[in-house]
């Protein structure tokens, strides 16, 4: 019998790019090993069966191990786990200003073309900024590439998973709720020496609200109540 | 010792008179035929009702237990904690279309599930649930049960053959091979208790455990026989880890692939009731059935134990074994066909035979625990 013997394995650790990596070398037992005695086999199998039964009874007697959620009864208190990928969302600070400056990295990273960005130039600061952030949930595979690509930590996953709709045009979202300068631009503008208060006001006044469904939608360009038709250009 | 400490609370423990429903019917026949008819009807309705109610309850329990073994909750929607889920499922099954495959052997296809359910019913009537709750008490009870349970596998074989479907046929053939193999081990361990008790009658086997249950009165022999019986009867029940006849990942549904609606529910019900019968039999033969926990000679202790009614003892023991079978099902992976055969012919069978010889020696030398 050949098998992997954990007792004969050697352990070592190396560092790869500052991250410690454990290496376990487990030699296979020689193929010509002597067959174990009947009693040893019996003892080992009974022991491993009992170990299995111990594991399952552990789950049975501890109701805290249950992972099932009583949705929708607990809709109010439902808390998704840390790494849950619900829907894409733009990060906003406490004043409601977003981090995203429309740099296009996420659009380029997306393998499905699920992100479409439109930029504009701010008339006050002269900087390029986000006009509209379109995210197509209908073609997104939740691969996380966009979030990893973002250099400004401007994207995150929300907990929301209730995205079912009757019309697939409603799956095309405008993620930004305003078009205008991101939080970084505003800060830098304020810090610039000798900027009068009314100039800051002027900068903030360039912000325009954007509705979730205010952008272009697919479906052969036809409109529907509350959703304007798709602009193809 | 206990007597000395607590005084003679109860002089001798109660002896139980077994009155079965068929006894009552026979007695009443002489005086009042209507009463006899009443008893007979009660027996029929009781078995029928018990069969379906117990089946639904077992399915619910199985689903709940399985769920919690797997960190789930199981049925939660229909009724309090899903209590009525089985009722809903039963109604749904009864309303389903009864499909007969185009080129199936019609007659055999239709009667196969009936065979299964009849075999189950016949086994059920023999189970002694308490001194006064047993429908028939045959003097060859043990043989009758093992004969009747083979009848059930006939239903499975017929179902597989008549479905005209290769998966069904493969499943049925596996069921046949498995049943023939494991029936030997079951019988060998049944024989051990029969030797101990000196009787084939189930109520007498229960009575013989007045001074202690066979599982530990028969030294290690009783224990070994108990485990052999448990393993072999789990295999006979076609339950995981021995569920090769309906191995979903290989055979779709095995012998009941083509069945739907009422006929499918017959197989399903038979399977669950068979689990009850096997557990009840194990409890009766090895754990004393409805006999309270007695230690020979300790009258006070035995008297205290007698305060708990026999029916409860039976229910408790059977529940324990049913739970054990479920626990095994939801823990172990399924065996391969060759492993299944190896387990029986190379392990269980020799162990069973050696055990039987040991039991015979024990009976001849009268070396039980508590020989008085
Ligand atoms: S998660 Fe992946 S598919 Fe979805 S938008 Fe981001 S990059 Fe595109
Ligand atoms: S989300 Fe990030 S990567 Fe995408 S445009 Fe905004 S800042 Fe750039």
């Amino acid at each position: 019998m050949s098998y992997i013997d954990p007792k004969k394995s050697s352990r070592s650790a190396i560092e790869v790019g500052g991250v410690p990596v454990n290496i376990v070398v487990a030699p296979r037992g020689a193929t010509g090993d002597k067959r174990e005695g009947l009693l040893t086999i019996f003892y080992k199998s009974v022991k491993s069966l009992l170990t299995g039964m111990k594991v399952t009874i552990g789950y049975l007697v501890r109701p805290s191990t249950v992972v099932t959620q009583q949705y929708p009864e607990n809709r109010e208190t439902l808390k998704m786990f840390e790494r849950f990928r619900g829907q894409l969302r733009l990060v906003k600070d406490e004043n409601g200003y977003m981090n995203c400056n429309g740099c296009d990295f996420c659009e380029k990273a997306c393998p499905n073309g699920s992100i479409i960005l439109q930029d504009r130039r701010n008339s006050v600061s002269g900087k390029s900024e986000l006009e509209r952030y379109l995210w197509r949930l209908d073609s997104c595979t939740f691969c996380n590439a966009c979030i990893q690509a973002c250099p400004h930590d401007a994207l995150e996953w929300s907990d929301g998973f209730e995205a079912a709709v009757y019309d697939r045009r409603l799956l095309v979202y405008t993620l930004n709720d305003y078009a205008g300068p991101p939080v970084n631009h505003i800060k830098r503008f304020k810090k610039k020496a000798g900027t009068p208060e009314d100039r800051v006001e002027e900068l903030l006044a360039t912000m325009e609200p954007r509705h979730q469904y205010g952008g272009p939608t697919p479906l052969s360009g036809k409109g529907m109540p509350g959703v304007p038709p798709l602009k193809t250009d | 010792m206990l007597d000395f400490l607590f005084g003679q609370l109860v002089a001798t423990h109660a002896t139980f008179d077994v009155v079965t429903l068929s006894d009552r019917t026979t007695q009443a026949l002489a005086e009042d035929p209507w009463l006899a008819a009443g008893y007979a009807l009660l027996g029929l309705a009781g078995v029928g009702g018990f069969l379906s109610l117990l089946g639904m309850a077992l399915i619910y329990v199985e689903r709940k237990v399985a769920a919690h073994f797997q960190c789930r909750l199981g049925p939660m929607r229909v009724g309090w904690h899903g209590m009525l889920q089985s009722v809903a499922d039963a109604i749904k099954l009864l309303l389903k279309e009864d499909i007969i495959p185009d080129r199936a052997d019609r007659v055999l296809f239709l009667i196969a599930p009936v065979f299964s359910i009849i075999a189950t019913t016949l086994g059920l009537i023999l189970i002694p649930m308490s001194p006064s709750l047993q429908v028939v008490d045959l003097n060859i009870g043990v043989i009758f049960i093992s004969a009747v349970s083979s009848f059930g596998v006939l239903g499975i074989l017929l179902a597989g053959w008549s479905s005209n479907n290769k998966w069904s046929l493969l499943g049925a053939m596996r069921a046949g091979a498995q049943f023939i193999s494991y029936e030997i081990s079951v019988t060998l361990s049944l024989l051990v208790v029969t030797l101990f008790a000196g009787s084939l009658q189930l109520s007498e086997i229960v009575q013989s455990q007045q001074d202690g249950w066979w599982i530990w009165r028969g030294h290690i022999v009783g224990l070994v026989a108990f485990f052999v019986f448990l393993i072999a009867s789990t295999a006979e029940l076609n339950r995981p880890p021995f569920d090769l006849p309906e191995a979903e990942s290989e055979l779709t549904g095995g012998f009941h692939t083509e069945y739907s609606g009422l006929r499918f529910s017959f197989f399903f019900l038979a399977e669950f009731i068979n689990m009850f019968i096997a557990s009840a039999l194990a409890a009766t033969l090895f754990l004393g059935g409805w006999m309270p926990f007695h230690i020979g000679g300790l009258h006070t202790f035995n008297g205290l134990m007698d305060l708990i009614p026999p029916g409860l003892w039976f229910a408790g023991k059977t529940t324990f074994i049913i739970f054990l079978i479920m626990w095994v099902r939801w823990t172990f992976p399924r065996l391969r066909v060759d492993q299944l055969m190896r387990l029986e012919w190379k392990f269980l069978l020799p162990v069973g035979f050696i055990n039987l010889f040991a039991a015979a020696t024990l009976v001849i030398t009268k070396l039980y625990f508590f020989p008085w």
Side-chain angles (χ1 to χ4, degrees):
Chain A
M1 274 203 291
S2 87
Y3 58 94
I4 289 173
D5 189 352
K7 275 182 201 140
K8 283 183 196 148
S9 61
S10 65
R11 280 152 205 277
S12 55
I14 56 168
E15 252 191 31
V16 180
V19 183
V21 177
N22 289 319
I23 296 179
V24 181
V25 181
R28 310 191 96 212
T31 39
D33 267 2
K34 226 181 116 221
R35 199 161 186 272
E36 285 161 319
L38 201 63
L39 280 181
T40 325
I41 294 176
F42 180 71
Y43 170 74
K44 275 191 178 170
S45 32
V46 169
K47 198 177 144 211
S48 65
L49 290 181
L50 288 181
T51 313
M53 290 177 81
K54 204 177 112 198
V55 171
T56 43
I57 196 80
Y59 290 132
L60 183 84
V61 295
R62 276 179 290 140
S64 59
T65 54
V66 169
V67 292
T68 311
Q69 297 293 331
Q70 286 299 297
Y71 181 84
E73 280 85 352
N74 69 349
R75 198 174 170 199
E76 307 302 315
T77 57
L78 184 67
K79 203 171 154 8
M80 299 312 291
F81 35 97
E82 206 185 316
R83 287 158 62 186
F84 182 70
R85 296 179 185 178
Q87 294 190 30
L88 216 53
R89 176 167 74 188
L90 288 178
V91 176
K92 282 195 274 180
D93 72 352
E94 63 275 13
N95 298 323
Y97 301 143
M98 60 191 176
N99 283 353
C100 174
N101 61 3
C103 73
D104 259 14
F105 276 38
C106 48
E107 181 175 0
K108 298 225 165 63
C110 180
N112 305 322
S114 297
I115 294 172
I116 301 131
L117 283 180
Q118 294 165 1
D119 289 2
R120 68 174 198 186
R121 194 161 288 280
N122 192 292
S123 53
V124 178
S125 68
K127 281 178 168 276
S128 167
E129 64 189 18
L130 184 62
E131 152 75 29
R132 190 178 287 281
Y133 193 114
L134 278 176
W135 175 52
R136 296 195 54 165
L137 190 153
D138 54 349
S139 65
C140 175
T141 54
F142 303 90
C143 68
N144 213 27
C146 46
I147 292 183
Q148 285 178 337
C150 178
H152 301 285
D153 287 337
L155 274 178
E156 64 180 4
W157 291 112
S158 76
D159 283 354
F161 54 85
E162 296 170 335
V165 285
Y166 283 108
D167 188 307
R168 71 187 174 92
R169 283 177 300 177
L170 297 176
L171 293 175
V172 181
Y173 296 100
T174 299
L175 290 190
N176 55 325
D177 53 8
Y178 72 85
V183 63
N184 260 357
H185 290 188
I186 300 172
K187 271 189 196 156
R188 254 182 251 149
F189 196 73
K190 277 185 189 167
K191 269 193 202 152
K192 233 192 251 168
T195 312
E197 194 57 32
D198 56 333
R199 285 288 285 169
V200 179
E201 292 291 316
E202 221 177 294
L203 177 69
L204 294 182
T206 58
M207 290 183 181
E208 291 164 30
R210 290 284 176 265
H211 183 251
Q212 191 180 16
Y213 291 124
T217 57
L219 209 70
S220 313
K222 291 192 196 73
M224 60 177 277
V227 181
L230 174 70
K231 282 185 245 127
T232 42
D233 44 37
Chain B
M1 188 63 189
L2 269 172
D3 286 356
F4 180 70
L5 285 177
F6 300 108
Q8 199 91 353
L9 255 182
V10 185
T12 48
H13 51 254
T15 47
F16 299 96
D17 297 322
V18 177
V19 188
T20 63
L21 211 56
S22 62
D23 290 344
R24 287 183 208 269
T25 317
T26 331
Q27 273 167 21
L29 205 56
E31 301 146 21
D32 185 354
W34 284 113
L35 187 62
Y39 276 135
L41 216 63
L42 185 71
L44 282 177
V47 169
F50 188 72
L51 195 79
S52 37
L53 286 183
L54 185 76
M56 290 202 283
L58 278 178
I59 289 167
Y60 172 72
V61 171
E62 168 104 64
R63 291 179 65 176
K64 270 303 202 201
V65 168
H68 281 275
F69 271 135
Q70 301 175 332
C71 304
R72 296 184 286 115
L73 286 172
M76 288 293 279
R77 299 284 170 197
V78 194
W80 185 80
H81 276 246
M83 292 287 266
L84 299 177
Q85 183 68 52
S86 290
V87 180
D89 286 348
I91 294 171
K92 183 201 75 179
L93 264 182
L94 293 186
L95 295 180
K96 281 243 167 134
E97 187 188 353
D98 187 12
I99 299 170
I100 302 172
D102 199 14
R103 255 163 277 174
D105 190 327
R106 254 188 100 81
V107 180
L108 292 185
F109 188 82
L110 293 184
I111 60 170
V114 182
F115 271 30
S116 263
I117 200 85
I118 284 180
T120 306
T121 320
L122 286 179
L124 196 60
I125 58 173
L126 244 78
I127 302 293
M129 302 193 192
S130 96
S132 52
L133 200 66
Q134 185 179 2
V135 180
V136 189
D137 190 17
L138 294 178
N139 55 359
I140 50 157
V142 174
I143 293 182
F144 182 81
I145 284 200
S146 52
V148 145
S149 58
S150 329
F151 196 52
V153 84
L154 184 63
I156 292 179
L157 276 174
L158 284 184
W161 172 257
S162 62
S163 293
N164 205 354
N165 171 331
K166 58 190 167 202
W167 304 130
S168 303
L169 187 57
L170 274 175
M173 271 162 30
R174 282 183 182 186
Q178 188 171 327
F179 193 88
I180 290 169
S181 310
Y182 280 85
E183 180 70 5
I184 303 173
S185 281
V186 168
T187 315
L188 283 181
S189 46
L190 288 180
L191 278 180
V192 169
V193 177
T194 314
L195 275 181
F196 282 160
S199 169
L200 287 168
Q201 194 166 353
L202 284 174
S203 66
E204 263 182 38
I205 291 179
V206 175
Q207 298 270 29
S208 72
Q209 306 183 58
Q210 189 108 332
D211 289 336
W213 305 339
W214 287 123
I215 185 168
W216 48 285
R217 255 194 97 193
H219 298 273
I220 297 168
V221 176
L223 202 66
V224 172
F226 176 69
F227 280 112
V228 169
F229 181 81
L230 218 55
I231 296 171
S233 54
T234 310
E236 269 192 25
L237 294 171
N238 299 336
R239 278 179 69 84
F242 306 105
D243 65 334
L244 291 147
E246 44 194 292
E248 297 91 347
S249 45
E250 307 152 29
L251 299 182
T252 339
F255 60 88
H256 55 56
T257 307
E258 300 290 357
Y259 281 88
S260 59
L262 186 66
R263 279 169 223 289
F264 170 74
S265 72
F266 274 2
F267 279 126
F268 205 54
L269 202 62
E271 201 168 295
F272 275 87
I273 302 294
N274 282 341
M275 174 171 73
F276 170 79
I277 292 176
S279 310
L281 210 58
T284 305
L285 296 172
F286 297 97
L287 302 180
W290 44 257
M291 186 62 75
F293 183 74
H294 283 171
I295 299 175
L298 297 180
H299 293 304
T300 317
F301 178 76
N302 294 349
L304 283 176
M305 283 294 153
D306 285 346
L307 291 180
I308 303 173
L312 275 189
W313 279 104
F314 173 81
K317 290 167 190 175
T318 311
T319 313
F320 169 72
I321 294 179
I322 288 179
F323 176 75
L324 210 62
I325 293 180
M326 286 182 180
W327 187 3
V328 165
R329 166 171 186 170
W330 295 106
T331 305
F332 301 150
R334 184 188 299 137
L335 270 69
R336 242 170 25 219
V337 180
D338 61 326
Q339 290 168 335
L340 183 90
M341 289 297 151
R342 201 167 62 204
L343 175 69
E344 162 62 20
W345 295 103
K346 286 193 171 176
F347 182 71
L348 285 186
L349 188 69
V351 166
F353 268 119
I354 294 170
N355 202 40
L356 186 62
F357 284 124
T361 324
L362 211 65
V363 171
I364 291 171
T365 52
K366 296 225 182 303
L367 264 177
Y368 304 129
F369 277 117
F370 318 115
W372 47 83

